[in-house]
């Protein structure tokens, strides 16, 4: 599981920072999460292939989280993209994007699918044989969701030495990896556990975009491997966090502790602060494994 931070600062634009956007690479998928202004430039800077993005998840319709989307869609068109693109986001995102495309007389040569979200309860929005994605309802000034990305348990791993010892034909390998026992020609049944190892433990990533402190998300993200939680203001401006429905590092750390997550990534910093390390210092008072998002930074888990 690999996470690339394209942008992790709050709305006020600066030449040295970018608004929210990130790419999660998980089980051969490349998911784009939020798409603030400049996202496609950041994708190029970080040498991430545009063509591999087929699913875009938009948390809410504040500009610093989706104003880069129409540009990205248009660039895909200019590059003669043929692959379908799916956009998951709040009701209204389809109308906004199609209006921009219509009045610029720009229409995609590829299929563009919108999956508009309205539920205030957690729901599965994407699932295949490898990955499941569900929403994390958040409390912000407008309708907002985070997203939980969960790997599914993969195949068991072949114990090659054991398989060769029993002289099992390669045609049975996939059946074995699927968990089946094997019966030899002499009638002996070999238990699956004797010829395989446990599969790699599946990982999970929770993205919590703009939100005030809200314990109702804890059952959804409980025990996840990595939690990204917004921390717009330091504790000294906790009153501003409450007024604007944002969070502080201590609040994010409290969620991490109560949800028993393994690692916490902080982001969405207000640009008023001279050093983002102050965010880490406050969070570490409550939670030990704290990482700081930074534009262009990559995490591998």
């Amino acid at each position: 599981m690999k996470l690339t931070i394209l942008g992790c600062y709050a709305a006020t634009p600066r030449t040295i920072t970018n608004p929210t956007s990130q790419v999660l690479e998980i089980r051969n998928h490349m998911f784009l999460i939020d798409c603030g202004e400049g996202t496609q430039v950041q994708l190029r800077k970080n040498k991430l292939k545009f063509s591999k993005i087929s699913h875009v998840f938009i948390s809410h319709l504040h500009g610093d989280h989706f104003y880069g989307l129409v540009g990205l869609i248009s660039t895909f068109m200019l590059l003669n993209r043929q692959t379908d693109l799916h956009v998951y986001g709040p009701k209204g995102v389809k109308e906004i994007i199609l209006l921009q495309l219509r009045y610029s007389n720009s229409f995609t040569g590829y299929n563009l699918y919108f999956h508009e979200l309205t539920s205030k309860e957690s729901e599965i929005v994407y699932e295949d044989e490898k990955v499941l994605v569900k929403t994390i309802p958040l409390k912000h000034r407008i309708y907002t969701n985070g997203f939980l990305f969960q790997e599914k348990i993969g195949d068991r791993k072949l114990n090659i030495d054991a398989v060769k010892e029993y002289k099992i034909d390669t045609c049975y390998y996939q059946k074995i990896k699927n968990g089946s026992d094997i019966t030899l020609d002499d009638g002996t049944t070999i238990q699956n556990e004797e010829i395989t190892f446990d599969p790699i433990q599946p990982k999970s990533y929770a993205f919590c975009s703009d939100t005030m402190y809200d314990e109702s998300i804890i059952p959804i993200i409980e025990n996840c491997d990595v939690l990204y939680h917004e921390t717009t203001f330091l504790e000294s401006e906790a009153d501003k966090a409450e007024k604007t429905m944002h969070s502080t590092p201590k609040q994010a750390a409290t969620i991490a502790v109560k949800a028993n997550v393994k690692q916490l990534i902080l982001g969405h910093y207000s640009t008023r602060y001279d050093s983002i390390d102050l965010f880490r210092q406050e969070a570490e008072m409550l939670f030990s494994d704290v990482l700081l998002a930074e534009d262009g930074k990559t995490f591998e888990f």
Side-chain angles (χ1 to χ4, degrees):
M1 189 168 71
K2 180 179 178 180
L3 179 71
T4 301
I5 306 296
L6 303 178
C8 60
Y9 284 80
T12 306
R14 296 193 301 179
T15 58
I16 58 173
T17 59
N18 295 276
T20 301
S21 186
Q22 51 187 247
V23 169
L24 180 68
E25 296 175 66
I26 179 172
R27 290 285 176 90
N28 295 319
H29 292 289
M30 181 178 281
F31 294 133
L32 179 64
I33 309 170
D34 274 351
C35 191
E37 295 170 273
T39 290
Q40 55 184 324
V41 175
Q42 287 297 96
L43 284 166
R44 291 200 181 280
K45 279 185 178 180
N46 289 278
K47 299 180 180 179
L48 294 168
K49 292 185 178 179
F50 279 40
S51 60
K52 294 187 69 176
I53 296 172
S54 295
H55 302 273
V56 181
F57 297 86
I58 301 296
S59 62
H60 64 298
L61 297 181
H62 279 159
D64 57 320
H65 294 261
F66 90 106
Y67 276 175
L69 181 57
V70 70
L72 183 65
I73 289 171
S74 297
T75 297
F76 281 146
M77 177 186 63
L78 294 173
L79 295 174
N80 296 314
R81 179 189 177 101
Q82 300 298 316
T83 309
D84 296 349
L85 182 67
H86 295 261
V87 177
Y88 307 79
K91 183 176 176 58
V93 66
K94 178 179 180 179
E95 180 183 1
I96 293 170
I97 297 301
L98 292 185
L99 184 68
Q100 291 174 303
L101 295 176
R102 185 179 305 119
Y103 278 94
S104 64
N105 197 27
S106 301
F107 296 97
T108 63
Y110 56 91
N111 293 321
L112 182 59
Y113 297 101
F114 291 93
H115 307 266
E116 293 194 307
L117 309 175
T118 58
S119 176
K120 294 183 179 180
E121 303 293 328
S122 179
E123 61 179 339
I124 296 172
V125 293
Y126 175 80
E127 184 176 13
D128 62 17
E129 69 279 2
K130 295 181 179 180
V131 179
L132 180 147
V133 184
K134 63 173 64 173
T135 58
I136 307 169
L138 301 174
K139 288 188 178 179
H140 193 42
R141 300 192 303 277
I142 61 174
Y143 178 77
T144 305
N145 284 299
F147 298 97
L148 177 65
F149 301 83
Q150 296 175 299
E151 292 181 336
K152 293 185 176 181
I153 296 177
D155 291 340
R156 297 185 65 80
K157 302 300 178 183
L158 284 177
N159 182 338
I160 295 298
D161 291 338
V163 168
K164 288 182 176 179
E165 182 180 341
Y166 285 112
K167 299 179 180 179
I168 299 173
D169 193 278
T170 57
C171 67
Y172 295 107
Y173 282 7
Q174 188 57 53
K175 184 178 180 181
I176 294 170
K177 289 194 288 185
N178 290 341
S180 297
D181 299 333
I182 292 295
T183 301
L184 303 180
D185 292 339
D186 63 4
T188 304
T189 298
I190 307 301
Q191 298 298 314
N192 188 268
E193 292 78 7
E194 295 184 48
I195 49 178
T196 62
F197 301 112
D198 289 338
I200 297 173
Q201 189 66 25
K203 289 183 169 53
S204 55
Y205 173 66
F207 170 81
C208 289
S209 174
D210 297 13
T211 182
M212 66 187 302
Y213 180 80
D214 180 19
E215 293 188 0
S216 69
I217 70 173
I218 291 173
I220 304 171
I221 66 172
E222 196 167 20
N223 299 318
C224 74
D225 291 279
V226 185
L227 166 65
Y228 174 97
H229 196 292
E230 75 112 291
T231 51
T232 306
F233 298 102
L234 294 174
E235 199 65 28
S236 56
E237 280 79 42
D239 59 326
K240 291 185 176 65
E242 183 175 3
K243 182 178 179 180
T244 59
M245 301 185 77
H246 283 293
S247 297
T248 68
K250 282 190 176 180
Q251 290 173 336
T254 300
I255 293 293
V257 170
K258 292 189 174 184
N260 193 39
V261 305
K262 293 181 177 64
Q263 291 182 296
L264 171 65
I265 301 177
L266 307 182
H268 200 267
Y269 320 108
S270 169
T271 55
R272 70 185 62 208
Y273 302 109
D274 294 329
S275 172
I276 62 173
D277 199 57
L278 297 171
F279 289 82
R280 189 211 309 269
Q281 292 173 22
E282 288 197 355
E284 285 182 338
M285 295 174 66
L286 296 174
F287 187 81
S288 59
D289 202 342
V290 178
L291 304 171
L292 292 178
E294 295 182 58
D295 293 5
K297 189 169 185 177
T298 296
F299 302 94
E300 293 201 39
F301 306 100

